[in-house]
Amino acid sequence: MGEEDNFTGILSNEQKYNPDFYNLNRIEVKYCDGASFTGDLEAVDPGTNLHFREARVFLAVMKDLLTVKGMINAQNAILSGCSAGGFASILYCDNFRALFPVGTRVKCLADAGFFINVKDISDASHIEEFFAQVVATHGSIKHLPASCTKRLNPAGLCFFPQYVAGQVITPLFIINSAYDRWQLDKSHFGAG
């Protein structure tokens, strides 16, 4: 991964393309686990030597940005992500808000992170099974909203934004295509 990315669209630093946010600081936190920064297991997977501790990574990055980089002094803050990161922006929206002083304007933006729990054309729940495996593998349940996990069984259902987004108090904006390729692959064909 490079140290810098060329942000475009709503993240562009050019006023003509991004008149509202062009002069803001932007930070991209990359990861490749697909668990939306919810993993939190002590054990290391012996077969793969993988560490599922993404929730700790998220907290460490936030701590560094707030205390070392000065984000605590921000007047405006936006938490955003795309795909699994978009879902993370829904999950962590209120927690992100709580990191700032009361006067800070905080909003969240989920881009393509609204995966829908639907059955495929054979009436199978492939995507529900897939997310249940993600939650189990990563130990994600402790970082899913208790207001959801207490109400839904299995708790893996709380990995679907449709069950948690309505409980977010901080202003949340959702951008989602009606025809997301990943969603179509997972929910309609059971492959991908």
Side-chain angles (χ1 to χ4, degrees), residues 22 106 113 115 169:
Y22 74 95
V106 177
F115 306 109
I169 297 167

Side-chain angles (χ1 to χ4, degrees), residues 98-166:
L99 297 173
F100 293 91
V102 174
T104 306
R105 291 181 6 181
V106 177
K107 296 181 172 51
C108 301
L109 172 70
D111 183 356
F114 208 95
F115 306 109
I116 305 295
N117 185 16
V118 294
K119 292 183 178 186
D120 69 12
I121 57 174
S122 69
D123 204 34
S125 300
H126 289 288
I127 195 165
E128 186 176 316
E129 294 165 13
F130 176 79
F131 280 156
Q133 290 172 358
V134 168
V135 169
T137 300
H138 292 259
S140 299
I141 193 156
K142 60 183 120 182
H143 293 285
L144 297 174
S147 58
C148 183
T149 57
K150 289 178 183 176
R151 169 172 69 80
L152 293 178
N153 190 13
L157 290 172
C158 298
F159 219 75
F160 290 97
Q162 70 197 70
Y163 302 122
V164 296

Side-chain angles (χ1 to χ4, degrees), residues 41-180:
L41 294 176
E42 285 297 326
V44 176
D45 185 304
T48 61
N49 197 32
L50 291 175
H51 299 70
F52 297 110
R53 299 177 182 159
E54 310 85 34
R56 298 176 199 186
V57 170
F58 182 83
L59 292 174
V61 168
M62 289 300 115
K63 182 179 179 183
D64 181 66
L65 290 172
L66 289 162
T67 59
V68 177
K69 306 288 192 287
M71 190 170 73
I72 192 72
N73 300 314
Q75 294 175 359
N76 300 290
I78 298 173
L79 177 66
S80 179
C82 182
S83 193
F87 180 51
S89 68
I90 295 170
L91 281 177
Y92 283 102
C93 188
D94 289 334
N95 293 340
F96 182 71
R97 169 67 197 102
L99 297 173
F100 293 91
V102 174
T104 306
R105 291 181 6 181
V106 177
K107 296 181 172 51
C108 301
L109 172 70
D111 183 356
F114 208 95
F115 306 109
I116 305 295
N117 185 16
V118 294
K119 292 183 178 186
D120 69 12
I121 57 174
S122 69
D123 204 34
S125 300
H126 289 288
I127 195 165
E128 186 176 316
E129 294 165 13
F130 176 79
F131 280 156
Q133 290 172 358
V134 168
V135 169
T137 300
H138 292 259
S140 299
I141 193 156
K142 60 183 120 182
H143 293 285
L144 297 174
S147 58
C148 183
T149 57
K150 289 178 183 176
R151 169 172 69 80
L152 293 178
N153 190 13
L157 290 172
C158 298
F159 219 75
F160 290 97
Q162 70 197 70
Y163 302 122
V164 296
Q167 299 166 34
V168 175
I169 297 167
T170 305
L172 170 64
F173 303 93
I174 296 172
I175 300 171
N176 224 74
S177 168
Y179 302 104
D180 181 76

